[in-house]
């Protein structure tokens, strides 16, 4: 069977990056991380080709025109997109591909790959994110309000996800994400195998009739 597309989304600051990194480190043979292209500038500590492929707006638009991106979105005025070829190649080898993308991209990925598995990571309470940002003191009050508005908008999409996983204790959350992906994959293996048996049997029956 081909690999599974696993989409991980979550509110800004919920820790989804850490969860994805841990999954990759612990199960390097089972997962491939899709490194997105973005037109936003690198933040401190980010490296080209590791967190993102950082490109100009012009290059992004050119890539879009040439259909090199599987899905894309505009977030906070910057382009973000998933490189098509990497995802397709990895899936063919049977590896699960992780897309860490926002809500609109998640729904687009689901439309392209109906079997993809959509996980939304949440904090135990909305206030947890609010206080984390407040205490950090690096964002202005306006910025914090803007993020709360964005999170409220994103909350509308959670109903379209396959699972919500709470990041209360990080270790428990990582394990839960991994277990749920394995379960999903096993179930798909089973239904695919059963489908193949029916296909074979019905195909045989059409031959007998002719
Ligand atoms: P950041 O700038 O904080 O790294 O990412 C901003 C948002 O863009 C996050 O919600 C992240 O998950 C999302 N994102 C990153 N790459 C992609 C992508 O290729 N496609 C889509 N649709 N969203 C992305």
């Amino acid at each position: 069977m081909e690999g599974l597309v696993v989409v991980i989304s979550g509110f800004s600051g919920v820790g989804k990056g850490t969860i994805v990194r841990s999954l990759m480190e612990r199960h390097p043979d089972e997962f491939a991380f899709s490194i997105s292209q973005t037109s936003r500038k690198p933040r401190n500590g980010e490296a080209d080709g590791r967190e993102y492929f950082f490109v100009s707006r012009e290059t992004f638009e050119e890539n879009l025109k040439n259909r090199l991106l599987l899905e894309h979105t505009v977030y906070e005025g910057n382009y973000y997109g998933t490189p098509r070829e990497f995802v397709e190649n990895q899936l063919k080898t049977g590896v699960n591909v992780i897309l860490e993308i926002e809500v609109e991209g998640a729904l687009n990925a689901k439309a392209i790959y109906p079997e993809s598995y959509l996980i939304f990571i949440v904090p135990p309470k909305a206030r947890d994110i609010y206080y984390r940002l407040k205490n950090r003191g690096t964002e202005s009050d306006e910025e914090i309000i803007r993020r709360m508005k964005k999170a409220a908008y994103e909350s509308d999409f959670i109903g379209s996800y396959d699972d919500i996983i709470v990041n209360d204790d990080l270790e428990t959350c990582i394990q839960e994400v991994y277990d749920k992906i394995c379960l999903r994959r096993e179930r798909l293996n089973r239904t695919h195998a059963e489908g193949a048996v029916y296909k074979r049997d019905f195909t045989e029956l059409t031959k007998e009739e002719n």
Side-chain angles (χ1 to χ4, degrees):
M1 200 189 115
E2 281 207 345
L4 182 65
V5 172
V6 178
V7 174
I8 310 261
S9 305
F11 305 120
S12 165
V14 80
K16 53 188 189 299
T18 313
I19 295 163
V20 169
R21 259 195 312 281
S22 303
L23 277 182
M24 296 299 306
E25 278 163 19
R26 295 177 195 189
H27 310 280
D29 301 337
E30 293 170 58
F31 297 108
F33 177 66
S34 160
I35 301 171
S36 296
Q37 284 190 6
T38 182
S39 65
R40 87 150 158 74
K41 296 275 167 287
R43 295 190 188 118
N44 265 347
E46 286 183 333
D48 187 40
R50 191 177 64 203
E51 281 80 11
Y52 287 103
F53 295 109
F54 296 99
V55 296
S56 65
R57 295 185 73 85
E58 294 71 35
T59 305
F60 194 101
E61 283 165 4
E62 191 64 27
N63 292 343
L64 208 55
K65 212 163 59 198
N66 292 326
R67 301 182 42 82
L68 300 183
L69 302 168
L70 195 65
E71 61 76 40
H72 77 284
T73 195
V74 178
Y75 188 95
E76 314 268 302
N78 294 307
Y79 285 122
Y80 293 82
T82 304
R84 179 193 300 281
E85 200 180 356
F86 175 82
V87 174
E88 289 176 351
N89 288 345
Q90 292 296 319
L91 290 177
K92 274 188 211 134
T93 69
V95 163
N96 303 316
V97 178
I98 300 188
L99 310 184
E100 189 201 320
I101 60 178
E102 52 66 69
V103 291
E104 286 161 19
L107 296 194
N108 289 334
K110 185 91 180 171
I112 300 163
Y113 294 106
E115 289 172 1
S116 57
Y117 185 39
L118 272 49
I119 298 177
F120 199 93
I121 310 285
V122 294
K125 290 195 229 74
R127 280 184 184 280
D128 297 340
I129 288 195
Y130 175 75
Y131 283 121
R132 199 178 303 156
L133 287 173
K134 267 274 194 217
N135 293 335
R136 198 162 72 180
T138 49
E139 277 81 13
S140 64
D141 281 355
E142 294 86 73
E143 173 62 21
I144 293 176
I145 297 294
R146 210 175 51 74
R147 293 225 190 165
M148 296 303 106
K149 282 191 182 153
K150 183 101 197 163
Y153 165 77
E154 289 169 340
S155 302
D156 274 339
F157 290 78
I158 297 180
S160 303
Y161 280 68
D162 297 302
D163 265 308
I164 300 180
I165 299 182
V166 181
N167 184 11
D168 189 0
D169 172 64
L170 179 64
E171 201 43 53
T172 312
C173 179
I174 295 167
Q175 193 57 45
E176 198 179 336
V177 170
Y178 180 67
D179 290 345
K180 288 234 159 94
I181 295 170
C182 292
L183 261 181
R184 172 76 168 209
R185 179 96 203 221
E186 276 165 31
R187 198 178 315 139
L188 275 175
N189 281 345
R190 211 170 47 238
T191 50
H192 272 265
E194 286 185 21
V197 170
Y198 279 101
K199 172 147 183 155
R200 184 200 62 202
D201 290 352
F202 280 116
T203 309
E204 299 264 302
L205 282 166
T206 51
K207 280 189 205 139
E208 279 169 28
E209 271 301 303
N210 286 331

